Structure formats: C-alpha cells, structure tokens
Amino acid sequence: MDRILTRLAAARRNGAPFGITSICSAHPVVLRAAIRRAVRDGGPLLIEATCNQVNHLGGYTGMTPEAFIRFVERIAAEEGLDRSRMIFGGDHLGPNPWRKEKPAAALEKAEAMVAAYVKAGFGKIHLDASMGCAGEPAALDDATIAERAARLAQVSEMVAKASGMPLPLYILGTEVPVPGGADHALAELRPTAAKDALATIAIHREIFSRAGLEDAFSRVIAFVVQPGVEFGSENVIGYRPELATELTALLDEEPQFVFEAHSTDYQTRDALTRLVQDGFPILKVGPGLTFALREAAYALDMIATEMVPGYGDRPLAAAMEALMLAAPSDWQAHYHGDETALRLQRHYSYSDRIRYYWNRPEADRAFESLLGALRGKTIPETLLRQYLPQLSAPEAKDPEIMLIAAVDRVLADYQSACGTAP
C-alpha cells in the first residue's frame, strides 16, 4: 500500500494529480476517526509519528515506534480496517529531541531512533537533520544537513535489510516549518525560492551518491519546502498559489519528486485542493485535528455542566489548566503575554500545545468522567445549538460519536482535496 506514494509524481506529470492525508497524531479519538473514514471510503490511511512524540526512548507519549504501531493496529482491528491498507511514517526523524546535546551524542540517539522506526515497520521516513545542536548555529548549511541525512539513511538501509523489512521511501528537505506551528503571530510568509529548493535537491543527490546511497536516493519521493502556509498561536497564513509558481514549476525539472506540505492545519478546503494540484500532494495535519477534538470536548464539558447534576463547573477544562500549570515545559516557551493571554493560549491556541497533555492520567480521568456523564443522555437541541451547532442531532446521542464527528469534519476537507488515486 505504501507504493501508492511512488505514484504521486507521475500522477502530477500526467495531469491527474491526487493526494494523501498524513495524520500526525497519537490521540486515540483522532486515530479512530481517521480509521473509520478509511473503512468507509476504502482508501489508504497514512499515519505518522513525530520524533518528539514517539521514539526509541518513549517520547512524550511514552511509546516506542513498535508500541505505536501496535497501538494503532489495535484500534484498526476494532474498526475492521485491514493492516494492508495502512502506511506508517516517521516525521522529523533526526536530532531534534536532543538538539541541546553535543552533535555526536544527538546524532547517535537519532541513529538509534531511525533504526527503531524502520525495524518496527515504518515505511515512509522523513529525515530531518536541519537543526543545530549544542555549540552549533540554529540553522545549518545544506551540505552539513545532507551529510547527516545520508548518515541516517545509511542506518535506515542497513536495518531494513538486516530485519527483512521493505526498503523505506524517503522524504528529505531542509526548509521545514516549525514542528507544531510557529510560536508568534505571523504577518506574511514567502515560499521557498526555487533556486534554493534546486540547490537542496542537488546537494542531497551529490552527497548520497558520494556515500554509495544511490539506491536509497532513488526512493526519495518528496522534499519538504515552504509552500507559504503556516499557523501561529493566534492566526493562520493561507496558501497563495501565485507566490509559489516558480517553486512548483521546478518539479518539471525534477520529475522524480513532489513536495510534502507541512503545517497545512487550518487551511481551507480550496487551499488544500490547490496545494495538491500544484505539487504538494502529501498534506500533513496534526494540531488541527486535536484542536477540533478539544473544541468539541470543551463544548461537551459546558453541556454537561449545564445539564448533569453534580458534574461540576467545567471540570475537564479545570483539570487541563491544573495539568498545564503544574508541568509548563511543553507550552511555556511558546506562549507569550500577560496571565490572561497565557491562559487563553494554553487552551485555545492554534498551536494546540494542550495536545501534549491529553495522554496524562489526570487528563484521561477527566475525559472519561465527561463521557460517563453524558452517555445515555439526550442533549436538548437548544443546548446543541448553543455549544455544538456544527453537529447534527443524530450525532448528539453519543459523546464519543460527537467527538469523532468533530474530527471527521476536518478530515473531510482533506479527503476532498486529495481526491481518489487513479
């Protein structure tokens, strides 16, 4: 099924582009929503884990790559999705989780992480060595980035061959949007210059060849560039096709590749559709899905407060606030302003750094308390109109279905934009 990714470039060249949505989330409700849509519509499902979220040391989810695949497979089995229709990808695989360490130590851990991903069965590998480590500049030069990517690719190839796994497909590139979105308001964003993208491709091709990795480079399907889309804490920069014309035209000179679009969260359906048509057929989305989940969960929290005696005054929101205040490391460096601004960002920022807290036991208990309070109860139409007007009355009979429906509304935009593979 992962070989559908190798058809993206040819489909664009032949004038019949199609895309694929990359689900970058470890939240079980998000995953269940994506799996149900795949079951219903019969297409492939691409699930990706990021280096901070899942790695050989556990990441912030506490899951290794192998554990993450087993976790997703259990949900898929419950929903009746065949494993053969699932593609697993590793995102931003490189030294980013350990960038505060010296380069040698950080890269050693990155190698171990990439090895764990490949051995676990991840077939789509994004190698990202673009960030400086301790004692280095924040942004590295293209040659250093390519050399480190080649080093990680060498490990990936060796592990795949030794473990009998299919040889991976690769994503490369240096101009990567900030993982999870920017931490400030954005005014304007320019796409990657075509000459810079061509230089990036050329230096990776040269260094991979010098390292004897020509076969691995032949399986590079896409490069990450900046299409001119991003989201900050409080605003979104929408795709402007006219600014990316020169960038997308270079794909005619490099017919092996397409571009992978990161940070497409919160783009309109029309913008997503145009991204696919223009040469960005891999659409990555993560925070936008958990943002939709949080919107619906908080609405249900208010509904339960209104209609369930003894439930309390928005206990889910209160539990999340207490969690984030007690362990601020996952949001403190990203949000700015006075106490009111910080509180609003903790809960409502497009960056959605609240997603780092959903898997904690306190959050899980509050979440389950909310679902338990509303199971078996009919939400009055008037309350639904007040707090969740976008959902239909039939969906309002079950809180889990309501949460999945909220996520699925986002996924519907992506599926519409991606179309159907020929």
Side-chain angles (χ1 to χ4, degrees), residues 318-332:
M320 300 310 293
E321 174 73 347
L323 262 178
M324 289 186 284
L325 289 176
S329 60
D330 287 316
W331 61 265
Q332 201 165 44

Side-chain angles (χ1 to χ4, degrees), residues 99-378:
R99 64 189 181 278
K100 294 182 180 179
E101 301 182 25
K102 291 292 186 181
L107 284 165
E108 184 177 347
K109 289 185 174 71
E111 288 180 342
M113 175 176 62
V114 169
Y117 266 84
V118 173
K119 189 173 182 180
F122 285 77
K124 175 182 177 290
I125 300 294
H126 172 214
L127 298 176
D128 175 14
S130 60
M131 67 295 299
C133 299
E136 296 182 319
L140 302 176
D141 61 274
D142 275 2
T144 300
I145 294 167
E147 287 167 358
R148 291 179 179 180
R151 174 177 167 179
L152 296 174
Q154 185 77 63
V155 171
S156 178
E157 295 288 291
M158 291 173 58
V159 170
K161 292 171 183 175
S163 58
M165 302 300 293
L167 294 174
L169 302 176
Y170 293 103
I171 311 293
L172 301 175
T174 60
E175 193 160 348
V176 181
V178 179
D183 61 4
H184 57 279
L186 300 169
E188 186 179 18
L189 196 63
R190 304 294 297 186
T192 301
K195 63 180 180 59
D196 293 338
L198 284 170
T200 292
I201 293 171
I203 194 65
H204 278 82
R205 180 181 281 122
E206 176 188 340
I207 288 175
F208 270 59
S209 177
R210 196 187 306 160
L213 292 167
E214 293 93 340
D215 184 56
F217 195 80
S218 75
R219 283 179 271 110
V220 177
I221 60 170
F223 273 77
V224 176
V225 294
Q226 174 53 266
V229 304
E230 184 58 283
F231 56 93
S233 183
E234 298 177 353
N235 71 321
V236 177
I237 301 296
Y239 181 53
R240 294 178 59 187
E242 71 277 8
L243 298 181
T245 302
E246 291 185 7
L247 176 61
T248 56
L250 75 80
L251 291 173
D252 296 330
E253 303 175 46
E254 294 285 355
Q256 176 180 338
F257 311 117
V258 293
F259 292 134
E260 179 170 274
H262 289 225
S263 296
T264 68
D265 310 70
Y266 314 110
Q267 296 291 311
T268 66
R269 180 178 290 199
D270 287 345
L272 294 170
T273 301
R274 188 60 189 266
L275 280 165
V276 171
Q277 293 171 348
D278 287 354
F280 300 91
I282 305 173
L283 301 176
K284 302 184 81 71
V285 58
L289 299 172
T290 43
F291 184 93
L293 173 69
R294 194 272 314 149
E295 278 188 318
Y298 272 23
L300 291 175
D301 196 31
M302 289 188 282
I303 287 171
T305 294
E306 294 279 8
M307 65 174 284
V308 179
Y311 176 70
D313 184 9
R314 297 187 64 199
L316 175 63
M320 300 310 293
E321 174 73 347
L323 262 178
M324 289 186 284
L325 289 176
S329 60
D330 287 316
W331 61 265
Q332 201 165 44
H334 302 269
Y335 296 154
H336 311 286
D338 60 22
E339 286 305 310
T340 298
L342 290 173
R343 178 177 56 80
L344 291 175
Q345 290 171 82
R346 282 194 293 272
H347 296 274
Y348 306 111
S349 167
Y350 283 130
S351 300
D352 193 55
R353 299 195 70 82
I354 195 173
R355 72 187 185 277
Y356 289 87
Y357 297 85
W358 287 117
N359 68 324
R360 303 194 182 199
E362 301 93 330
D364 189 57
R365 286 194 293 271
F367 204 83
E368 286 303 315
S369 176
L370 168 63
L371 298 180
L374 290 174
R375 283 192 186 103
K377 293 181 172 60
T378 299

